[in-house]
Amino acid sequence: MKHAPLEAQARTLEATGAYRVLRRIAPLPLETQGPRDHTRIGLFLDLETTGLDPACHEIIEFGMVPFVYTLDGRILGTLPAFNRLREPSHPIPPEITALTGITQEMVAGKTIAPEEVAQFATQAALIVAHNARFDRLFAERFWEGFSTVPWACSMEDVPWQAEGFEGRSLGYLVMQAGWFFDGHRAADDCLAGVTLLTTRLPKTQTPALSALLQEARQPRWQIWAENAPFDLKEKLKARGYRWNDGTDGRPKAWFTEVPQAQKEDELHFLKTEIYLREVALLTREITAWDRFSHRA
């Protein structure tokens, strides 16, 4: 191996207990694949945009890194990445340039055709993003095919905190797992996300991807606390409820998503601690095909 002597030195330092060594993230060589019916191609996706609202802001960089994985959650390696810049219809805000390093000059004349994205993305059995609640909305507006594939979130669908990690940002999690990378460019973030999913979680000793797949495969229930008492909003927020303003066609109310096993407990909480009475509450089953989208 090209870096074998350096790796040996790194392990020597780590063995003293006085040092931690961060390793630079790089593409993962593809191991020998098993039977096709036991493996799938996943797609880690990351977008850089001119803002947070998919209704009025635009994609300026599209990154996707395919990875081959087994059904039990082991990543066998990565495939060549897709990375394209795109010129928006309005100038890139200075704060976005400061965050991403993408300037107006870099995107000048650059375009991304939905057909390009479609040709690359149709191979995927699963789309993963770090903060899928952001990326899926933009991705589906760009190419409707993203609405026909299940999605998972490497930020929400892995129990990082329960496993002893602090924070949920991609850069911080990657650093705690022993890696570093050049962040805030789409393809780099994607490769970092795939590498993070290879991490063996310290308490359960399972790969992070295995935990993500288990969570993504479970149906969840969306529970809406319509007309909840205003003075109890902090109690709802502390429990993880989010506010929806009603402009998307869904109720103007606080809501949460819970696994099937927690549904009855959550309804009991609302009836006994929020409404203080029996009440019929709006609930909806959500699967990975709709989760994180405008339909959920």
Side-chain angles (χ1 to χ4, degrees):
M1 290 177 59
K2 180 180 178 182
H3 299 297
L6 295 177
E7 180 62 25
Q9 292 176 35
R11 292 181 179 178
T12 299
L13 286 171
E14 291 174 325
T16 67
Y19 297 92
R20 289 191 65 198
V21 179
L22 300 181
R23 291 160 175 82
R24 177 179 285 278
I25 282 174
L28 305 174
L30 185 61
E31 299 178 23
T32 302
Q33 290 185 235
R36 290 182 62 87
D37 58 344
H38 291 162
T39 62
R40 299 288 187 273
I41 293 180
L43 197 65
F44 206 102
L45 178 146
D46 184 74
L47 305 174
E48 303 299 343
T49 67
T50 57
L52 301 177
D53 186 349
C56 59
H57 295 127
E58 301 177 67
I59 295 170
I60 55 175
E61 187 174 33
F62 218 119
M64 295 181 284
V65 170
F67 60 96
V68 180
Y69 67 96
T70 62
L71 295 180
D72 62 356
R74 189 166 64 91
I75 293 177
L76 300 181
T78 54
L79 301 172
F82 177 101
N83 198 76
R84 303 281 192 280
L85 291 168
R86 177 180 179 274
E87 183 176 14
S89 58
H90 296 91
I92 299 173
E95 63 270 20
I96 298 299
T97 294
L99 177 66
T100 65
I102 300 174
T103 66
Q104 198 65 37
E105 291 72 26
M106 291 169 61
V107 300
K110 302 288 180 65
T111 62
I112 307 172
E115 294 76 17
E116 280 186 277
V117 172
Q119 186 175 9
F120 193 88
T122 49
Q123 62 186 317
L126 174 71
I127 309 291
V128 183
H130 199 78
N131 191 7
R133 294 188 187 280
F134 171 83
D135 291 290
R136 183 165 192 173
L137 295 176
F138 277 93
E140 287 191 1
R141 288 179 71 91
F142 189 83
W143 175 55
E144 63 181 10
F146 282 119
S147 67
T148 65
V149 185
W151 283 63
C153 181
S154 56
M155 183 173 71
E156 294 192 26
D157 291 340
V158 179
W160 298 114
Q161 186 175 6
E163 289 286 344
F165 288 79
E166 298 178 4
R168 298 197 304 172
S169 73
L170 180 61
Y172 200 27
L173 289 171
V174 164
M175 182 182 67
Q176 291 175 86
W179 306 89
F180 74 97
F181 69 108
D182 301 320
H184 293 304
R185 291 301 303 273
D188 293 332
D189 285 2
C190 290
L191 188 56
V194 176
T195 304
L196 181 63
L197 291 177
T198 68
T199 301
R200 189 165 290 276
L201 298 174
K203 294 184 179 179
T204 57
Q205 286 298 301
T206 59
L209 179 64
S210 179
L212 177 142
L213 292 175
Q214 182 177 355
E215 184 69 16
R217 289 166 180 158
Q218 298 298 318
R220 299 176 68 85
W221 283 88
Q222 202 173 75
I223 301 175
W224 292 83
E226 295 184 88
N227 301 312
F230 179 79
D231 58 348
L232 294 179
K233 68 174 184 178
E234 294 302 323
K235 193 170 188 176
L236 289 168
K237 287 171 64 176
R239 197 172 172 92
Y241 280 72
R242 301 191 300 276
W243 175 253
N244 186 66
D245 63 9
T247 57
D248 58 3
R250 299 184 301 170
K252 184 177 182 179
W254 293 95
F255 74 101
T256 190
E257 287 180 13
V258 296
Q260 171 74 41
Q262 296 177 21
K263 179 186 175 185
E264 292 306 317
D265 286 344
E266 198 62 35
L267 292 173
H268 179 75
F269 159 77
L270 289 172
K271 292 174 183 179
T272 59
E273 299 191 38
I274 300 299
Y275 295 98
L276 305 180
R277 59 184 172 86
E278 281 295 319
V279 58
L281 295 168
L282 174 63
T283 63
R284 295 177 56 204
E285 187 179 26
I286 303 296
T287 70
W289 273 263
D290 290 323
R291 194 171 171 224
F292 310 121
S293 75
H294 67 278
R295 299 176 300 283

